[in-house]
Amino acid sequence: MKKIKTTLKQRKNTTQFQLTIRFIGLLISAVLILSLAIMGITVAELYESTEKQAELLEDSLKNSDAKEAKEWQEVLVKNTSKDSSLYLIYVQLNSGEVIYSSDDAEEVFQEFPQLKQFILVDRILWTSEIEPYYYESFKKEGAKVTILIDMEDQFELIGRIFSLTIFITLAVIVFGSLVTHRFSKKLSGSLVIMDEEINQLNISDSKQQLTIPKTPQEVQNISKSFNQLLVKQRIYLKREQQFVTDASHELRTPIAAIRGHVNLIKRRGVSHPEVIPTSLDYVDKESKRLELLVEKLLLLGRLDTQVDTESVDLSLMIQQTVEELKVMMSQEVILNIESGIFVEGQAEHFYQIARNLLENAMKYTDAAGTITVELFSDEATIHFIVEDSGMGIPDEEKAKIFERFYRVDQSRSSEIFGTGIGLSIVKELVEKYQGAIAVTDVLPKGTRFVVTLVK
Ligand code: ADP
């Protein structure tokens, strides 16, 4: 029962149903208003023409010289000669004498006291057989003249117009409903197909897409946008899957190393205690690597969360980051920072950009080297440069270092603590702000990272 109810409710909410109902409503109102207007005008016209006929008759009778009964008789016959059953006249002379225009008139006037009158149209009287008569009465030199004009024909005409209007109204409603129903079905049909296709869509099958209908344009646009979204979603999904695989792989390596050394201590710790300090060193180093890796992975997850942006004092932030790292730096640091440079965004993001680049410069430059940090802006751009006199990056590796988990020459980097995530975070963040990052060589030795941000 509940299911039927929901389906009915759902049906009522469909565009097709809503469109049909509204169209039918509009159609009925339009046709009814039009019919009523036509009927109203016709009735008014017919009434007016009868009124005019009565006036003409009244004028003609008033202008006659009739005084005596005989003269009246002649005048009445003359005036009703066109149609004696249509114009019925009754004259009551001062003397009490009564004259009728015809036998029909006499018959109707006999019934006169019982004729019915309605408030709004008090000029129309109704017989017991529901025959309408227009009524007019006046006095001429003591004679009381009453005119009745038969309105049966007019009412018959109104009746015919009324039935015809009802018939046309019904026909238009039936035909109109059918047309609107079919039209709205055609309109919403493509939406129904789209819904079915979405339900059956397999996101991991890269070939599957929505069919793009020719009409209506709106649905065509939605289908196109949906397909574009699908492509983006699939790329995103693939990247995520790749990331999970890479991350698990990266996490497994230090864990395996830790377990290996723990087993070694267990097996040979007692008989060869000299292995313990070296193994513990490894365990310490690998667990630190794990800690750092987890920290960076968590950071990666946090990057996409939407937080309100603010105006960040980039000059101050970079200076503070350098200060923070300085205690660990054995290299000479040259600072060239223009003050008062602000950017719109999340402070954490700019801190991560600066920290990762500075940490790398520290890690890959020997103690006697130099690290130069520059920040300046021109009209439209902000430039942030971290330059070192370290080991440098071979040309063929330059593009790869921004990939997740990529480290230049594992054997070379193995001595230096790292995860291979830092630069991928930096690149992602810079691009989030429509900026760019470039890496170039420094001669004779070293690397320069240039971050450009739009002001
Ligand atoms: P990591 O944690 O290994 O430093 P990054 O993503 O920050 O990870 O860097 C990726 C790789 O790029 C590093 O492993 C290193 O080989 C290279 N690299 C990054 N910065 C520098 C630099 N300033 N000088 C030389 N090599 C660098």
Side-chain angles (χ1 to χ4, degrees):
M1 188 65 193
K2 203 178 168 195
K3 203 173 173 193
I4 296 172
K5 259 189 189 168
T6 343
T7 341
L8 255 168
K9 204 177 161 197
Q10 277 173 352
R11 254 179 70 85
K12 275 188 181 171
N13 285 336
T14 57
T15 322
Q16 187 185 344
F17 188 84
Q18 302 265 338
L19 264 177
T20 313
I21 285 296
R22 275 170 181 74
F23 264 123
I24 292 175
L26 257 165
L27 212 68
I28 293 177
S29 335
V31 174
L32 274 182
I33 291 172
L34 209 70
S35 312
L36 284 175
I38 292 173
M39 292 254 313
I41 291 168
T42 320
V43 169
E45 285 293 320
L46 289 175
Y47 185 83
E48 240 174 65
S49 96
T50 315
E51 202 175 27
K52 254 195 197 114
Q53 285 173 36
E55 270 169 26
L56 283 175
L57 202 56
E58 186 183 333
D59 286 349
S60 169
L61 293 177
K62 271 185 180 165
N63 290 335
S64 73
D65 309 317
K67 279 187 185 81
E68 299 300 315
K70 207 159 171 258
E71 289 163 351
W72 268 113
Q73 191 69 54
E74 272 170 32
V75 170
L76 292 192
V77 170
K78 203 176 130 206
N79 275 287
T80 57
S81 61
K82 264 192 269 165
D83 194 340
S84 60
S85 59
L86 194 67
Y87 305 107
L88 312 172
I89 309 168
Y90 159 84
V91 182
Q92 189 175 24
L93 297 181
N94 243 354
S95 56
E97 238 177 312
V98 169
I99 303 132
Y100 295 103
S101 59
S102 64
D103 292 346
D104 285 345
E106 189 174 353
E107 215 175 283
V108 175
F109 278 109
Q110 295 292 318
E111 223 192 296
F112 193 72
Q114 288 112 54
L115 292 188
K116 294 209 164 48
Q117 201 175 26
F118 293 107
I119 313 161
L120 276 177
V121 272
D122 55 358
R123 290 253 155 225
I124 296 178
L125 303 178
W126 299 85
T127 65
S128 50
E129 281 100 40
I130 323 181
E131 282 166 6
Y133 285 94
Y134 184 85
Y135 161 80
E136 183 69 75
S137 155
F138 60 92
K139 279 208 164 138
K140 176 180 154 52
E141 293 162 22
K144 194 186 168 217
V145 186
T146 311
I147 301 171
L148 288 180
I149 299 177
D150 188 351
M151 287 189 79
E152 206 179 339
D153 283 354
Q154 279 94 325
F155 270 78
E156 242 176 56
L157 185 65
I158 292 168
R160 276 206 298 277
I161 292 176
F162 183 71
S163 334
L164 195 70
T165 316
I166 296 271
F167 174 73
I168 292 175
T169 311
L170 284 176
V172 169
I173 289 170
V174 171
F175 183 69
S177 316
L178 280 175
V179 172
T180 6
H181 183 75
R182 286 194 61 171
F183 174 67
S184 54
K185 195 174 175 181
K186 205 176 150 205
L187 261 185
S188 58
S190 43
L191 281 174
V192 174
I193 294 174
M194 194 166 125
D195 180 47
E196 279 167 10
E197 283 189 4
I198 292 176
N199 277 332
Q200 285 161 14
L201 202 79
N202 178 2
I203 193 132
S204 29
D205 182 356
S206 59
K207 282 192 198 83
Q208 278 193 21
Q209 279 204 327
L210 290 192
T211 323
I212 296 171
K214 281 201 182 87
T215 53
Q217 190 62 45
E218 291 88 341
V219 184
Q220 192 190 76
N221 292 349
I222 296 176
S223 310
K224 279 184 187 163
S225 309
F226 186 90
N227 281 345
Q228 281 167 4
L229 186 75
L230 210 60
V231 172
K232 277 190 205 156
Q233 198 61 28
R234 280 178 179 141
I235 294 174
Y236 183 70
L237 201 73
K238 217 169 164 186
R239 253 182 44 197
E240 286 305 296
Q241 282 166 349
Q242 187 61 43
F243 174 69
V244 172
T245 321
D246 290 349
S248 346
H249 179 256
E250 291 301 315
L251 288 169
R252 206 182 295 141
T253 320
I255 291 172
I258 292 170
R259 286 190 60 79
H261 285 286
V262 170
N263 279 335
L264 184 73
I265 296 171
K266 265 172 143 181
R267 274 189 288 114
R268 308 201 22 214
V270 180
S271 52
H272 296 278
E274 70 277 6
V275 296
I276 296 177
T278 332
S279 286
L280 276 181
D281 270 355
Y282 270 111
V283 170
D284 184 41
K285 201 175 126 198
E286 291 302 315
S287 58
K288 266 194 196 135
R289 222 165 92 80
L290 254 182
E291 194 183 14
L292 189 71
L293 204 61
V294 171
E295 199 182 289
K296 298 252 166 172
L297 286 176
L298 285 174
L299 176 73
L300 263 180
R302 266 210 321 266
L303 291 185
D304 281 338
T305 48
Q306 289 291 322
V307 180
D308 286 344
T309 57
E310 54 185 320
S311 182
V312 181
D313 186 341
L314 200 58
S315 315
L316 191 69
M317 165 154 293
I318 290 170
Q319 239 153 5
Q320 283 172 348
T321 317
V322 174
E323 287 303 320
E324 187 186 314
L325 294 173
K326 230 174 184 170
V327 279
M328 297 180 267
M329 279 184 188
S330 36
Q331 300 89 343
E332 181 195 358
V333 183
I334 302 169
L335 281 185
N336 206 343
I337 293 174
E338 190 182 305
S339 60
I341 296 183
F342 284 84
V343 272
E344 193 63 32
Q346 288 177 41
E348 163 81 4
H349 290 168
F350 300 108
Y351 170 74
Q352 287 300 336
I353 295 173
R355 187 174 170 120
N356 277 299
L357 290 179
L358 288 166
E359 268 180 354
N360 279 355
M362 267 165 63
K363 284 194 296 189
Y364 302 104
T365 307
D366 50 48
T370 320
I371 296 171
T372 313
V373 184
E374 278 183 76
L375 178 74
F376 58 91
S377 70
D378 49 37
E379 245 168 59
T381 353
I382 297 166
H383 304 265
F384 172 48
I385 300 171
V386 179
E387 191 182 302
D388 62 56
S389 59
M391 58 176 70
I393 302 168
D395 280 346
E396 64 277 13
E397 304 278 357
K398 283 194 175 81
K400 295 185 200 156
I401 52 167
F402 296 102
E403 288 171 18
R404 281 177 184 177
F405 305 111
Y406 190 83
R407 305 198 72 202
V408 175
D409 185 1
Q410 288 296 337
S411 59
R412 183 189 82 160
S413 307
S414 61
E415 293 308 309
I416 304 160
F417 207 67
T419 57
I421 302 181
L423 283 181
S424 70
I425 292 180
V426 173
K427 189 168 193 281
E428 215 166 293
L429 284 176
V430 169
E431 283 171 358
K432 208 180 171 83
Y433 291 94
Q434 278 79 47
I437 181 162
V439 56
T440 49
D441 291 330
V442 174
L443 292 175
K445 199 160 80 79
T447 314
R448 179 190 294 116
F449 282 94
V450 181
V451 173
T452 34
L453 293 169
V454 187
K455 239 180 172 178

